[in-house]
Amino acid sequence: MKGRPDHPPVLCAGRRDNAQRLTALDEVSESLGLKLGQGLAEARAMFPQIDVVDEDEAADRALLEAIADWCDRYTPLVSLDGPSGLFLDITGCAHLFGGEEVMLKDILGRLFQIGFDVKGAISSSPALSWAACRFGDGGIIPQGVADEVLAPLPVEALRIDQGVAASLRKVGLKRIGDLLHMPRAPLARRFGMQLLLRLDQARGANEEAISPRRPVAALSAERKLAEPIAAEDDILELTGQVAISLKSGLEARGAGGRLFELVLFRIDGRVFRIAAGASQPLRDPQRISKLFCERLTAVHDDLDAGYGFELLRLNVLQHEAFQNAQGNFTADNNGEVPLADFVDRVSARLGADCLQVARLKHSHVPERAEVFIPAIATWSSEDRAEELLAFFPNADRPLRLFRHPEPVEAIAATVPDGPPQRFRWRRILHQVVRAEGPERISPEWWFDPENAQERDYFRLESDAGRRFWVFRRGHYLPGNAPTWHVHGIFA
């Protein structure tokens, strides 16, 4: 945190261990000898003129997330490191920016221009880079010099527990160099295996994986711009051009994209992510561009172009096998818009839940046999409709099925298993002239409670020509009267 000469020292304080302690310092505060973790009361006693700001962990986290989004321009493998650091896995990416040295200089320089005073290091292991940044000078660390870089650093640079670090200092082991040539067995017995693990990770003898904060795109293409763009038409035109670059990669995989993400890097560092899905795998750049035309219309008020976007990236987050289909001989594509295009465009503009379709489930209980899902989601290969239809009996089902069965008053029902002769539903009396049934549906013992009762379903036709799907829950037994319900309407 940088300070201003005409302003008193600025620092942040927050509650730690039931006490107010310093959590962030500017350069002036550091020059005065104040330390992170120092008590606020002690700092005020030493320098009454300090300007104290309460820490805001949520705001700090949001800021770090925003910087991580900005770093996606260098590599998709970005991971958070506590409240004030980032790990970037740049394997295979450095040559795109002119090498590691040029890349590091570009990252630090751009962040400095945005207003952040940062330190960075590039090495063969995350632990070594962490130590060089937090306790050293950072920079590029060549292969084979890890011990030389680590030796003068304090033992806290190994990312060990504070208790272990304090125990090491009590026996005179204050620097990492003091540990490098000591027997490992005594260190493990006295200070635990974590110390040796951290030491091996820092020296590169034990690999440490970086868990990216966002899923890595299956395919990605981007365009760096010499001049920033801000107009929606320019964004869509450039999106179509970038989508052309993705087509060959999708064809090589025999796949089409189902979920796309448009990432816009604004010139001041802010990043916008706009996702658009498709009901069928897509390769056509024009159709992909149309998806984002609708999405940009939907998020228009939230997309602040500011001084413009300097980098545009199109990611394929999900893809599926693409089924090639031959077009007509006339090559006339000016006909009616296919249903899939309509679903994609409406879902992109109004949200995935605006259009829903019924999907079959493995259940013989009618109200559980289907579930409504967004229309943009299609059948998966292992859950085909044909297989599910074979699971259900060949029986008539009503055109309209109620979400919850509605109770009815059955009159003159034939005991024990016959249909009612009349029934009252929604205050209207219906005279039954034809009946079919019963069709018995048992409860699902693996899902329903133990006291769940069987249902006997009947297809009833009234004297007015209306057809109902009615069931009796339970049986006529001494001291027990079953209940009747209407579950659907045929016509």
Side-chain angles (χ1 to χ4, degrees):
M1 183 188 299
K2 285 184 173 294
R4 295 182 301 179
D6 58 342
H7 195 279
V10 180
L11 49 85
C12 293
R15 182 164 292 277
R16 301 287 189 277
D17 299 329
N18 295 324
Q20 288 289 332
R21 299 186 180 277
L22 306 186
T23 59
L25 307 173
D26 65 359
E27 292 179 342
V28 179
S29 300
E30 291 178 346
S31 65
L32 294 177
L34 298 177
K35 303 292 184 182
L36 292 177
Q38 186 177 4
L40 178 60
E42 180 183 355
R44 286 190 182 278
M46 296 172 58
F47 304 100
Q49 72 277 14
I50 58 176
D51 186 4
V52 181
V53 180
D54 292 336
E55 71 168 347
D56 188 341
E57 295 184 358
D60 293 341
R61 177 77 176 190
L63 177 60
L64 188 62
E65 292 274 359
I67 298 176
D69 282 339
W70 180 86
C71 289
D72 280 351
R73 68 181 60 214
Y74 297 101
T75 172
L77 301 176
V78 180
S79 175
L80 300 181
D81 173 38
S84 59
L86 296 173
F87 280 125
L88 278 67
D89 188 345
I90 61 171
T91 304
C93 301
H95 70 280
L96 301 175
F97 301 89
E100 294 180 349
E101 185 175 354
V102 176
M103 184 179 185
L104 180 61
K105 183 178 179 180
D106 183 70
I107 295 174
L108 301 182
R110 285 174 175 265
L111 288 174
F112 180 79
Q113 292 175 358
I114 296 175
F116 298 101
D117 185 16
V118 296
K119 186 185 294 184
I122 296 179
S123 71
S124 57
S125 69
L128 179 57
S129 297
W130 191 93
C133 280
R134 303 280 181 168
F135 296 90
D137 297 329
I140 307 296
I141 303 176
Q143 290 278 1
V145 298
D147 289 355
E148 299 178 12
V149 175
L150 292 171
L153 302 181
V155 292
E156 289 81 2
L158 292 177
R159 297 181 298 166
I160 55 179
D161 295 336
Q162 294 183 357
V164 177
S167 299
L168 289 170
R169 287 185 173 277
K170 287 181 180 180
V171 297
L173 302 175
K174 300 180 179 180
R175 303 290 175 183
I176 298 178
D178 301 333
L179 306 174
L180 293 178
H181 304 291
M182 291 191 63
R184 295 172 64 89
L187 287 176
R189 285 196 302 268
R190 183 163 185 177
F191 303 105
M193 291 299 298
Q194 185 199 34
L195 175 62
L196 298 183
L197 174 63
R198 292 302 192 188
L199 184 61
D200 290 342
Q201 289 176 342
R203 302 175 74 181
N206 195 324
E207 293 187 0
E208 181 180 4
I210 293 178
S211 300
R213 51 188 289 271
R214 291 184 179 275
V216 180
L219 288 172
S220 180
E222 67 179 35
R223 182 70 59 86
K224 295 182 179 179
L225 306 174
E227 293 291 336
I229 60 174
E232 184 176 313
D233 292 340
D234 295 337
I235 295 175
L236 291 175
E237 181 180 357
L238 194 58
T239 301
Q241 296 176 9
V242 175
I244 296 175
S245 303
L246 290 176
K247 187 176 181 180
S248 59
L250 291 171
E251 289 177 346
R253 295 173 178 237
R258 284 292 310 279
L259 180 60
F260 300 89
E261 182 185 47
L262 180 64
V263 188
L264 302 171
F265 295 82
R266 205 167 67 180
I267 196 171
D268 63 349
R270 187 174 178 183
V271 180
F272 294 87
R273 297 178 181 274
I274 305 172
S279 58
Q280 296 179 349
L282 292 184
R283 290 179 184 171
D284 185 12
Q286 292 184 354
R287 291 185 61 184
I288 296 174
S289 180
K290 287 181 180 179
L291 291 180
F292 286 102
C293 177
E294 303 296 339
R295 290 296 297 134
L296 289 176
T297 301
V299 302
H300 178 76
D301 294 337
D302 298 328
L303 186 64
D304 182 10
Y307 291 103
F309 301 106
E310 61 177 347
L311 177 63
L312 182 146
R313 178 181 297 157
L314 186 60
N315 295 328
V316 180
L317 299 183
Q318 294 179 8
H319 60 81
E320 293 181 0
F322 186 85
Q323 300 295 332
N324 291 305
Q326 181 178 348
N328 55 39
F329 290 104
T330 62
D332 182 12
N333 297 324
N334 297 323
E336 186 176 345
V337 178
L339 177 61
D341 289 348
F342 171 78
V343 172
D344 293 345
R345 296 180 65 180
V346 174
S347 300
R349 175 173 292 195
L350 303 179
D353 295 331
C354 68
L355 296 176
Q356 295 189 342
V357 296
R359 182 177 184 178
L360 296 176
K361 292 181 63 179
H362 285 282
S363 176
H364 60 260
V365 178
E367 62 266 28
R368 300 178 193 154
E370 63 182 13
V371 62
F372 283 92
I373 61 173
I376 199 170
T378 58
W379 299 97
S380 60
S381 58
E382 65 275 2
D383 192 17
R384 295 188 295 271
E386 294 80 2
E387 298 176 358
L388 283 168
L389 288 174
F391 179 78
F392 296 99
N394 294 324
D396 292 336
R397 291 293 181 263
L399 181 64
R400 178 186 177 189
L401 185 72
F402 299 149
R403 186 179 297 272
H404 301 287
E406 299 183 8
V408 300
E409 179 185 352
I411 302 173
T414 305
V415 179
D417 295 324
Q421 298 178 6
R422 295 185 300 275
F423 66 92
R424 191 182 303 277
W425 175 53
R426 294 182 180 178
R427 301 183 180 181
I428 299 177
L429 183 64
H430 300 274
Q431 180 70 36
V432 178
V433 296
R434 292 183 181 85
E436 292 179 312
E439 176 193 346
R440 179 160 294 177
I441 296 181
S442 300
E444 297 175 333
W445 58 266
W446 59 91
F447 186 83
D448 292 311
E450 294 182 0
N451 59 352
Q453 296 177 315
E454 296 177 329
R455 301 178 185 178
D456 285 343
Y457 279 84
F458 296 88
R459 293 180 291 277
L460 306 180
E461 183 177 340
S462 69
D463 54 357
R466 302 185 64 182
R467 300 182 64 201
F468 304 89
W469 203 37
V470 178
F471 71 86
R472 181 187 65 243
R473 177 182 282 130
H475 302 281
Y476 287 99
L477 298 173
N480 178 50
T483 58
W484 289 84
H485 304 264
V486 59
H487 204 168
I489 300 174
F490 288 93

